[in-house]
Amino acid sequence: MEELPLLPSGILMQTDFITPEHEVKLLHIFQHELEWPARSGRLSLHYGYTFSYKTFGIDEDIPFKPFPDWLVPLLPTTEGRPPDQVCLQQYAPGTGIPPHVDTHSTYDQLYALSLGAPVFMQFRDGVSGERTDVDLVPRSMLQMSGDSRLHWTHGIKSRKTDTLPDGTVRLRKDRWSITYRWLREGGECECGDEKLCDTAQRRKGVEREYRWKQYEEDAKKDETKTVTVM
Ligand SMILES: O=C(O)CCC(=O)C(=O)O
Ligand SMILES: [Fe+2]
């Protein structure tokens, strides 16, 4: 894995994580052997613990699903243990994923393998408004760490073409990605980013509730005072 020399910091990439022949076999499995949800847009299949689109954490009601044979050789080995949650997604041309950060409290490390057609992923710093487009080339493994993981959002524009830096217009084609997530020990993130971190936001919420309680108590004292004066 090599860190890309750009902002945000912390984007690591390994091109040719698998061979083109291996990729052909995987795409055949994705297209002919897997059962996908019957709907349009971005499609997802989950392995290990299931991602919850309600809490953006883990769906506690669905038991751990063992990794299928085709997935095992695609698991990153650099975290010392296999991921807890793996998500295979299919993007037809025109589909994307809105800008987001993967939930800080639930997940720690985050990797994504790209297969099929290339696409640009856009990283955005909400503070400065700065944006960076990273070309996710097929067969590359991406790791989002540091700022790219916690303090910049990432997303894929829903559109049918991408324009390359030299002005060439590239047509989108079918793309698949495999996202790997490791659960964060303790379930709390200490980054303190109140814009993007759910732990920081929750703590701020608790504080706000506490301040509100104080305010109500002070208001009661005032009432008492008023009653006394009258
Ligand atoms: O498709 C990808 O490469 C990444 C998708 C993503 O950001 C996510 O599933 O959280
Ligand atoms: Fe993500």
Side-chain angles (χ1 to χ4, degrees):
M1 289 284 218
E2 262 184 47
E3 180 163 0
L4 303 184
L6 44 78
L7 289 180
S9 61
I11 304 179
L12 294 115
M13 194 177 277
Q14 182 184 340
T15 51
D16 295 309
F17 184 78
I18 58 165
T19 63
E21 296 74 29
H22 190 171
E23 184 187 30
V24 169
K25 284 188 194 146
L26 289 169
L27 298 196
H28 188 272
I29 294 174
F30 298 166
Q31 287 170 303
H32 302 288
E33 293 177 23
L34 300 184
E35 260 188 58
W36 293 90
R39 57 177 182 83
S40 58
R42 180 169 46 90
L43 305 177
S44 311
L45 295 174
H46 300 273
Y47 305 98
Y49 289 109
T50 294
F51 185 90
S52 163
Y53 289 97
K54 256 191 230 151
T55 63
F56 299 103
I58 292 287
D59 190 331
E60 313 269 354
D61 296 334
I62 306 178
F64 186 93
K65 287 186 201 138
F67 300 131
D69 288 345
W70 59 262
L71 180 55
V72 175
L74 307 177
L75 301 176
T77 52
T78 31
E79 293 302 317
R81 63 182 180 98
D84 300 296
Q85 204 275 310
V86 177
C87 184
L88 170 65
Q89 302 194 89
Q90 178 179 316
Y91 297 77
T95 58
I97 185 165
H100 67 280
V101 283
D102 291 61
T103 313
H104 285 198
S105 63
T106 317
Y107 302 111
D108 187 359
Q109 296 300 332
L110 176 65
Y111 290 59
L113 176 65
S114 292
L115 299 164
V119 79
F120 276 108
M121 173 172 271
Q122 185 167 84
F123 288 85
R124 186 168 184 278
D125 176 15
V127 180
S128 66
E130 202 174 331
R131 289 150 208 256
T132 303
D133 289 318
V134 174
D135 200 9
L136 299 183
V137 293
R139 301 185 302 284
S140 66
M141 181 69 87
L142 172 83
Q143 182 186 355
M144 291 179 235
S145 67
D147 282 2
S148 72
R149 162 74 182 96
L150 297 174
H151 304 304
W152 291 48
T153 60
H154 59 275
I156 295 169
K157 291 258 157 73
S158 298
R159 59 189 184 204
K160 296 231 160 128
T161 60
D162 285 316
T163 305
L164 307 186
D166 68 1
T168 313
V169 174
R170 186 172 69 192
L171 273 181
R172 291 263 185 98
K173 295 198 184 116
D174 285 329
R175 169 180 185 264
W176 290 264
S177 72
I178 304 177
T179 316
Y180 310 86
R181 301 184 179 95
W182 282 258
L183 288 177
R184 187 184 293 282
E185 219 185 303
E188 303 243 315
C189 175
E190 300 303 330
C191 81
D193 186 333
E194 289 181 356
K195 283 219 170 73
L196 295 180
C197 175
D198 62 306
T199 302
Q201 287 165 352
R202 185 179 50 76
R203 288 177 184 167
K204 197 181 170 195
V206 166
E207 205 184 297
R208 204 184 287 144
E209 207 174 276
Y210 174 76
R211 276 206 301 268
W212 179 249
K213 276 206 185 101
Q214 285 295 110
Y215 170 80
E216 278 180 329
E217 272 168 31
D218 288 346
K220 262 188 221 146
K221 275 184 212 147
D222 280 350
E223 264 172 31
T224 320
K225 250 189 241 153
T226 315
V227 170
T228 321
V229 170
M230 276 174 80

